[in-house]
Amino acid sequence: MIEAVVFDAYGTLYDVQSVAAITEEALPGYGEIITQIWRIKQLEYSWLRSLMRRYQDFSVITRESLAYTLRVLGLEYDSDLFERIVGKYLELELYPDVMPTLSAMQSRKLAILSNGSPVMLETLVRNSGLDRMLDATISIDSQRLFKPAPEAYSLIESILGVPPADVLFISSNPWDACGAKAFGLNVAWIERVTPEAMALAFVKSDVVSPLTMFNAIRTQIDELGLKPDYRIHALSELPGLIAAHES
Amino acid sequence: MIEAVVFDAYGTLYDVQSVAAITEEALPGYGEIITQIWRIKQLEYSWLRSLMRRYQDFSVITRESLAYTLRVLGLEYDSDLFERIVGKYLELELYPDVMPTLSAMQSRKLAILSNGSPVMLETLVRNSGLDRMLDATISIDSQRLFKPAPEAYSLIESILGVPPADVLFISSNPWDACGAKAFGLNVAWIERVTPEAMALAFVKSDVVSPLTMFNAIRTQIDELGLKPDYRIHALSELPGLIAAHES
């Protein structure tokens, strides 16, 4: 039985690419590349700080990775512009199938487990109206280690009281799906970019769009010796998947 | 006093870009992008496996990240071709100033501290003739955690018997320089791509070369709240830098 359905936030329920409109407006011509480098470095910094035992919460890491990105691109900016871009992380757009999918699963415990800081997550969840749908919004912050450390995933049982075997964890992030699987959760990975679409983007491989490079690094299932239990293409597949899992 | 001078291997003494000739010959049109994605994922996997407590040595990670890269690009290959590419990691080219610089510092303890597996490192060091110049080639393998975990850097003292304050650690990898600094070593970071060159590569930012994207992610000093003690542009600066440090 799946007693709890637990979601990753960034990239899974919330579209991190939705910052591109703000970055393009703020720094014309650089909207997309800022978005991609920012997100790549944001995750890297979460892993590096975890390994170095130099934890800072995700709001600090989000700011530091944005500062890195703007510096590398040689872009000048003032603090107003910086705050406008970073503020978008508190108002990311939900993927369109989030609300109907969560509505269809209200008989289960529903939660988020995210690298985000408690303040970031509470604000984001409230701003998007998801607070009414969720039983818990769990930040890894109390562990001072980011996903995919097992300590992060252990918070699901300690906060929801549901053992790993009765949890379905959903993430579009391949490294997160693998980390959850390594910990022992049931895992559904959302494949947002198919292998066929990915390969096609590289037919001319000497120049690529920043999005193509991002997709190549961050959207395909990783070679980490672990396989998610399920591969889906949209959140709307979940109610049917759970029914099949339980039968 | 600097009693020991310890070098990172991949990207610092050995040019990881030197695999591009082999990959381009093996898979024409894809040489550069294979090199860049492979190296990005190789490091990611070392961090992710460390965090997940699913250590596999760097030879496994190097193979898995290459398999990922070829799959994402939609490339077909047989095992001969795969072995030919991965084999290049045992015969990487030394940067041209390595030999003269090490020769000029033979009065110090000289060593490598690398994520590489013991077999990979021994073979690489022997193939390049560096075995005659070094007092030790230290793999992080015994700790089952990759750099930048502090356990990795602690091997310098336990193997060479030199405390952190008397060690100069050199890396071109920004995350490695920051990790070594966090541990308490004296650190010289090699800036291989200047900020000016980096920014210029992005004047047209809607398409970029894979090398530009790689450089943007991996060559500029990171925002991790840590600063290497020295920023140099070539290994040949080291003898002078050490003299100045000790005076």
Side-chain angles (χ1 to χ4, degrees):
Chain A
M1 290 291 294
I2 296 300
E3 203 184 326
V5 184
V6 181
F7 298 87
D8 170 54
Y10 303 116
T12 300
L13 298 179
Y14 294 94
D15 185 358
V16 292
Q17 310 288 347
S18 62
V19 301
I22 296 270
T23 53
E24 182 61 30
E25 180 217 308
L27 294 157
Y30 290 89
E32 201 194 302
I33 196 153
I34 292 171
T35 308
Q36 311 310 344
I37 297 179
W38 185 12
R39 176 66 175 158
I40 290 171
K41 295 302 289 189
Q42 181 194 46
L43 288 172
E44 274 193 25
Y45 286 179
S46 72
W47 303 330
L48 291 168
R49 280 192 173 275
S50 295
L51 273 178
M52 290 161 61
R53 318 288 147 74
R54 294 268 175 157
Y55 180 80
Q56 290 284 343
D57 82 28
F58 209 58
S59 67
V60 173
I61 281 177
T62 299
R63 299 177 74 87
E64 290 182 340
S65 49
L66 177 59
Y68 174 93
T69 302
L70 299 175
R71 169 164 57 79
V72 165
L73 294 169
L75 298 171
E76 311 238 328
Y77 57 93
D78 59 24
S79 69
D80 273 9
L81 187 146
F82 188 91
E83 297 303 330
R84 195 143 41 95
I85 297 175
V86 88
K88 180 65 185 170
Y89 246 84
L90 305 176
E91 293 174 5
L92 294 171
E93 286 157 32
L94 285 171
Y95 282 102
D97 50 357
V98 172
M99 283 297 187
T101 302
L102 295 191
S103 297
M105 299 193 297
Q106 286 291 309
S107 61
R108 325 258 171 185
K109 284 187 183 175
L110 300 179
I112 280 174
L113 173 73
S114 168
N115 277 342
S117 73
V119 170
M120 286 174 84
L121 289 173
E122 277 159 36
T123 311
L124 180 64
V125 164
R126 197 174 50 240
N127 283 345
S128 59
L130 222 55
D131 49 344
R132 300 184 309 270
M133 315 291 281
L134 296 173
D135 296 283
T137 300
I138 306 170
S139 164
I140 59 78
D141 185 64
S142 62
Q143 302 288 50
R144 300 178 66 85
L145 284 172
F146 290 101
K147 294 188 285 182
E151 290 85 348
Y153 300 102
S154 76
L155 288 169
I156 295 174
E157 182 163 15
S158 59
I159 290 177
L160 294 182
V162 180
D166 299 338
V167 173
L168 180 66
F169 181 78
I170 297 100
S171 182
S172 71
N173 291 293
W175 55 271
D176 190 19
C178 291
K181 192 66 215 156
F183 181 76
L185 302 171
N186 300 292
V187 178
W189 169 58
I190 309 177
E191 181 180 73
R192 293 216 190 273
V193 180
T194 64
E196 295 72 23
M198 192 72 253
L200 274 177
F202 282 112
V203 168
K204 187 163 157 51
S205 72
D206 57 334
V207 289
V208 292
S209 76
L211 180 59
T212 293
M213 198 70 178
F214 176 88
N215 284 343
I217 297 169
R218 287 280 191 268
T219 67
Q220 302 298 292
I221 197 67
D222 280 308
E223 295 285 339
L224 290 165
L226 292 151
K227 252 202 169 70
D229 302 285
Y230 302 103
R231 172 186 303 223
I232 61 177
H233 293 92
L235 291 164
S236 54
E237 295 176 42
L238 283 176
L241 184 156
I242 293 171
H245 178 91
E246 290 177 340
S247 71
Chain B
M1 290 293 293
I2 297 299
E3 204 184 324
V5 185
V6 181
F7 298 87
D8 169 54
Y10 303 115
T12 299
L13 297 180
Y14 294 93
D15 185 358
V16 292
Q17 310 289 346
S18 61
V19 300
I22 296 271
T23 53
E24 182 62 29
E25 181 217 309
L27 294 157
Y30 290 90
E32 202 195 301
I33 196 152
I34 292 171
T35 309
Q36 310 312 343
I37 297 179
W38 185 13
R39 176 66 176 157
I40 289 172
K41 296 301 289 190
Q42 181 194 46
L43 288 172
E44 274 193 23
Y45 287 178
S46 72
W47 304 330
L48 290 169
R49 281 193 173 274
S50 295
L51 273 177
M52 291 161 60
R53 318 288 146 75
R54 293 267 175 158
Y55 181 80
Q56 291 283 344
D57 81 27
F58 209 58
S59 67
V60 174
I61 282 177
T62 299
R63 300 177 73 89
E64 290 182 340
S65 49
L66 177 59
Y68 174 93
T69 303
L70 299 176
R71 170 165 56 81
V72 165
L73 294 169
L75 298 171
E76 310 238 327
Y77 58 93
D78 59 25
S79 69
D80 273 9
L81 186 145
F82 189 90
E83 297 304 328
R84 195 142 42 94
I85 297 176
V86 88
K88 181 64 185 170
Y89 246 84
L90 305 176
E91 293 174 5
L92 294 171
E93 286 157 32
L94 285 170
Y95 282 102
D97 50 357
V98 170
M99 282 297 187
T101 302
L102 295 191
S103 296
M105 299 194 296
Q106 287 290 310
S107 61
R108 325 258 173 187
K109 285 187 183 174
L110 301 178
I112 280 174
L113 173 72
S114 168
N115 277 341
S117 73
V119 170
M120 286 174 84
L121 290 174
E122 277 159 37
T123 311
L124 180 65
V125 163
R126 196 174 51 240
N127 283 344
S128 58
L130 222 57
D131 50 342
R132 301 184 308 271
M133 316 291 280
L134 297 172
D135 296 283
T137 300
I138 307 171
S139 163
I140 60 78
D141 185 64
S142 62
Q143 301 288 48
R144 299 179 65 87
L145 284 172
F146 290 102
K147 295 190 282 183
E151 289 85 349
Y153 300 103
S154 75
L155 288 169
I156 295 174
E157 183 164 15
S158 59
I159 291 178
L160 294 183
V162 181
D166 299 337
V167 173
L168 179 66
F169 181 78
I170 297 102
S171 183
S172 71
N173 291 295
W175 56 270
D176 190 20
C178 290
K181 192 66 214 156
F183 182 77
L185 301 171
N186 301 292
V187 178
W189 169 59
I190 309 178
E191 182 180 73
R192 293 215 190 273
V193 179
T194 65
E196 295 73 22
M198 191 73 252
L200 274 176
F202 282 112
V203 168
K204 187 163 158 52
S205 72
D206 57 334
V207 289
V208 292
S209 76
L211 180 60
T212 292
M213 198 72 178
F214 176 87
N215 284 344
I217 296 169
R218 288 280 191 270
T219 67
Q220 302 297 292
I221 197 67
D222 280 307
E223 295 285 339
L224 290 165
L226 292 151
K227 252 202 169 67
D229 302 284
Y230 302 102
R231 174 186 303 222
I232 61 178
H233 293 91
L235 291 164
S236 55
E237 294 175 44
L238 283 176
L241 185 157
I242 293 172
H245 178 92
E246 289 178 340
S247 72

